[in-house]
């Protein structure tokens, strides 16, 4: 049983604490991701990590028998999901989750200042954060390739949804900070459930299972840090609003990806989101990630300072 070391992500923080935590996050993120490659929407350390995976590819021993069932459904679900194999449902869910992420970050990238024009520390943090998200889409793409799906295209959403994603980052911070934080939290919750599904669905393909876990770990470690960082944008009232947004936001988002309800427990994901306090995460992830100081218990904070 894990010893409680951390507090709820919904723990209150003072303005002073949040200010210090932005400074601390900025130091962390530069070491963690390396140099920002603005033109390529990439980061030097992340690029090296992806290259290592690509240079040592792992593929299914038994290829997917009917890849058409993926290609027919991965952009829009046309079949009854109950007729699809668990692995196809899993891969469609991964693609659709990543596709939303990709559409959201493309829109945000275009309206946030590039690093040369960033004045506030928060803007610099957000720029690197977005570059990390582009790296996640590349890692998701590598997951699909690992399962033999080489023909995947990253397709825009419907014009209406694209418009919504385009307008969202233009709204003022006090409106977008709260849903942006809950979206990051939803990401970590989804990835933790996904990780456990790899064990169930890929029981006969241990090499691919382990490769998918390794690729997902790279994403989840960033997302744990994003959860803390986006939480740090929010004051005492906003954090209560965030709590009340968990259920409707998760419910609506996953309603749009019907595959998820077939293979995952959305109600449990909501409970996990509301209870999120970093304590269930393995140490090897925590060691490479970032947690706000006010979510650490006193003994844990001292340990970090030592
Ligand atoms: Fe991400
Ligand atoms: Fe993120």
């Amino acid at each position: 049983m894990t010893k409680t070391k951390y507090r709820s992500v919904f723990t209150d923080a003072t303005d002073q604490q949040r200010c210090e935590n932005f400074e601390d996050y900025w130091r962390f993120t530069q070491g963690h991701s390396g140099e920002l490659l603005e033109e390529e929407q990439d980061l030097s350390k992340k690029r090296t990590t992806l290259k290592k995976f690509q240079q040592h590819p792992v593929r299914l021993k038994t290829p997917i028998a009917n890849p058409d069932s993926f290609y027919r459904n991965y952009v829009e679900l046309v079949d009854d999901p109950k007729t699809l194999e668990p692995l196809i449902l899993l891969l469609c869910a991964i693609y659709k989750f990543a596709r939303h992420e990709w559409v959201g970050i493309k829109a945000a990238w275009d309206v946030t200042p590039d690093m040369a024009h960033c004045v506030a520390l928060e803007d610099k943090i957000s720029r690197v954060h977005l570059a990390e998200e582009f790296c996640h889409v590349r890692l998701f793409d590598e997951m699909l390739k690992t399962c033999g799906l080489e023909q995947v295209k990253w397709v825009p959403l419907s014009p209406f949804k694209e418009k919504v994603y385009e307008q969202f980052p233009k709204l003022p911070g006090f409106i977008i900070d709260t849903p942006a934080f809950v979206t990051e939290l939803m990401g970590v919750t989804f990835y933790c459930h996904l990780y456990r599904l790899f064990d169930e669905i890929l029981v006969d393909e241990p090499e691919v299972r382990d490769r998918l876990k390794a690729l997902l770990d790279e994403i989840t470690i960033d997302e744990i840090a994003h959860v803390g960082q986006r939480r740090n944008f929010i004051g005492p009232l906003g954090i209560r609003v965030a709590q009340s947004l968990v259920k409707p936001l998760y419910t609506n988002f996953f309603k749009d990806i019907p595959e998820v309800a077939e293979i995952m427990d959305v109600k449990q994901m909501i409970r996990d989101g509301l209870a999120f306090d970093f304590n269930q995460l393995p140490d090897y992830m925590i060691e490479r990630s970032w947690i706000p100081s006010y979510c650490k218990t006193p003994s844990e904070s001292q340990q970090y300072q030592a």
Side-chain angles (χ1 to χ4, degrees), residues 20-38:
E20 288 164 6
N21 273 276
F22 275 133
E23 299 278 352
D24 191 52
Y25 182 87
W26 179 236
R27 281 190 292 275
F28 157 79
T29 198
Q30 292 173 95
H32 175 69
S33 293
E35 190 196 340
L36 174 66
L37 309 165
E38 190 108 41

Side-chain angles (χ1 to χ4, degrees), residues 101 129 132-133 136 183-184 191 222-223 226-227:
E101 181 154 80
H129 177 157
E132 286 179 350
E133 301 290 7
H136 296 173
T183 306
E184 296 291 340
Y191 302 146
D222 288 355
E223 296 295 5
H226 292 173
V227 164

